[in-house]
Amino acid sequence: MKPKPGAVTRFIVAVSAVLLLSATMGWAADDKDQSDIQKRIQNAANVLDEIMAVKDKAVPDKIMADAECIAVVPSMVKIAIGFGGNHGKGVATCKTANGWSAPAPFTIIGGSWGLQIGGQAIDLVMLVMNQKGMDALLSSKFKVGADASAAAGPVGRQGEASTDWKMKAEVLTYSRARGVFAGIDLSGSRIAQDQDETRVLFGKMVPFATILGGKVEPQKGSEPFLAAVKKY
């Protein structure tokens, strides 16, 4: 028995409505993802501005100026219940022949054992100080302390006067929690490219080394972070 023309029409209309709804939901999800990565870039810029505003407790100007790459993680979560751990998402940029590269999204995951309990969110700043550290970062996945040595960075005028910080580590690390800014030990933490948010930001998967090597243009929403980096 042939279906009635009216039934076929209603079926086609129903299927079209479902497809349209699905597409609309997909676009909404894309808009949300885009706002999330742009928000992360803006928050990273805010972290740099707020930290550098207090000169006596900030990253020393000399160290900031000599950094090959700058990575910022706004609100990295540190949790400890029997054993410690941390997880965060940030953006990084590196010096190139034409200035600072487009921001590249990354994740950081790490942990430490010990009898401890508690939790907090911290702002994290990492400065890559030489070619070896830069090579580790460009690999898109490395372990702090193994593939690149790291040390808690000096702050304020003490750091300006120091002459041996550049020989200590490839990566200098800083954290801010509850208004206190100081060096932090990230040994054992793993840093990797955030491929999902790279696709959102660039519209496709772009290798970490390509982004940080300055081979792609900064995307919409990148300017606040790049402006903050250039400022310092």
Side-chain angles (χ1 to χ4, degrees), residues 62-106:
K62 174 64 174 172
I63 292 178
M64 185 68 83
D66 284 353
E68 297 295 332
C69 303
I70 297 175
V72 180
V73 181
S75 298
M76 182 174 76
V77 179
K78 293 181 67 67
I79 301 175
I81 305 177
F83 64 93
N86 60 66
H87 177 268
K89 293 184 175 184
V91 289
T93 181
C94 291
K95 283 179 181 174
T96 73
N98 300 313
W100 290 92
S101 73
F106 69 91

Side-chain angles (χ1 to χ4, degrees), residues 108-195:
I108 178 169
I109 300 174
S112 60
W113 294 92
L115 297 175
Q116 49 190 326
I117 186 168
Q120 63 177 300
I122 67 171
D123 296 322
L124 174 67
V125 177
M126 295 179 290
L127 305 181
V128 176
M129 303 309 300
N130 53 39
Q131 188 62 46
K132 183 178 178 181
M134 193 170 179
D135 290 342
L137 183 64
L138 293 179
S139 72
S140 82
K141 184 179 292 185
F142 75 98
K143 188 174 182 179
V144 179
D147 302 310
S149 61
V155 299
R157 302 187 188 283
Q158 169 197 357
E160 292 282 13
S162 177
T163 58
D164 62 349
W165 52 264
K166 204 166 186 177
M167 297 182 290
K168 287 182 177 179
E170 280 79 53
V171 181
L172 296 179
T173 56
Y174 297 87
S175 70
R176 181 180 64 168
R178 299 188 182 93
V180 177
F181 185 65
I184 183 176
D185 182 7
L186 291 177
S187 296
S189 296
R190 294 184 179 275
I191 295 173
Q193 181 177 14
D194 188 334
Q195 297 187 4

Side-chain angles (χ1 to χ4, degrees), residues 2 21 36 43 53-54 64 68 109 114 128 134 154 202 224 229 232:
K2 293 183 179 180
L21 178 61
D36 284 347
N43 289 341
V54 186
M64 185 68 83
E68 297 295 332
I109 300 174
V128 176
M134 193 170 179
F202 291 92
V229 170
Y232 303 116

